[in-house]
Amino acid sequence: MNTSKLILLFVSFLILSSCAQNTKNATEIPVVDLQIYQQQVDSLINEELELLQKTIVNNLKIVDNHMVFPLSEEEFTALGLPGFYYEKLQQELRETNEWIDASGLENVEEILAESYQSLYQIYGSPQE
């Protein structure tokens, strides 16, 4: 009788262990596939941000000690950039120009040229 209880306990353990293993396998997410999609998304985002940075560096100008981005939203989006970047850029330029006025900063062109020096080497100077 002791032996039959031991065998029953052992068989029960094997059954429970097998069920637990099957449940674990059924709920696993194929991590490799998700990583491939994430890499593709990251690559697209990096390309978009690279184009955005190049567009800003090549077009941002200083006029009357204020930062000006002369492209229209139509010209901006025609480059393949989403309109929300344009809206965000214009908002940030308004806020920056308000800060320039409030602080009395007078050498914005020099500051921008110094700040963007390494970017000018990559993308070229702003268009005239």
Side-chain angles (χ1 to χ4, degrees):
M1 199 157 201
N2 257 348
T3 306
S4 63
K5 286 183 181 180
L6 186 59
I7 291 174
L8 182 60
L9 181 64
F10 182 72
V11 170
S12 298
F13 175 77
L14 285 176
I15 291 172
L16 289 174
S17 174
S18 176
C19 289
Q21 186 68 21
N22 287 340
T23 302
K24 181 181 175 187
N25 288 340
T27 60
E28 288 181 2
I29 297 173
V31 176
V32 173
D33 290 342
L34 294 177
Q35 289 176 345
I36 289 170
Y37 290 122
Q38 185 63 44
Q39 289 170 351
Q40 290 173 343
V41 169
D42 289 347
S43 176
L44 290 173
I45 290 172
N46 287 339
E47 289 173 17
E48 189 173 85
L49 292 178
E50 178 85 12
L51 178 58
L52 175 63
Q53 187 173 26
K54 180 179 180 179
T55 301
I56 293 171
V57 168
N58 286 333
N59 292 283
L60 189 65
K61 299 183 184 319
I62 306 299
V63 177
D64 296 329
N65 210 45
H66 284 143
M67 295 185 176
V68 176
F69 189 75
L71 295 183
S72 68
E73 187 169 0
E74 290 172 350
E75 293 169 317
F76 185 84
T77 56
L79 296 172
L81 292 164
F84 69 87
Y85 286 140
Y86 183 85
E87 294 166 12
K88 183 70 174 164
L89 176 61
Q90 292 298 332
Q91 176 187 352
E92 289 180 5
L93 289 176
R94 279 191 298 277
E95 292 171 1
T96 300
N97 287 331
E98 288 173 7
W99 179 84
I100 290 169
D101 290 341
S103 69
L105 195 62
E106 294 182 9
N107 57 343
V108 175
E109 191 164 6
E110 293 171 27
I111 293 170
L112 182 68
E114 187 177 310
S115 299
Y116 276 24
Q117 187 174 13
S118 62
L119 294 172
Y120 291 151
Q121 290 174 353
I122 297 169
Y123 300 119
S125 297
Q127 300 170 357
E128 295 298 325

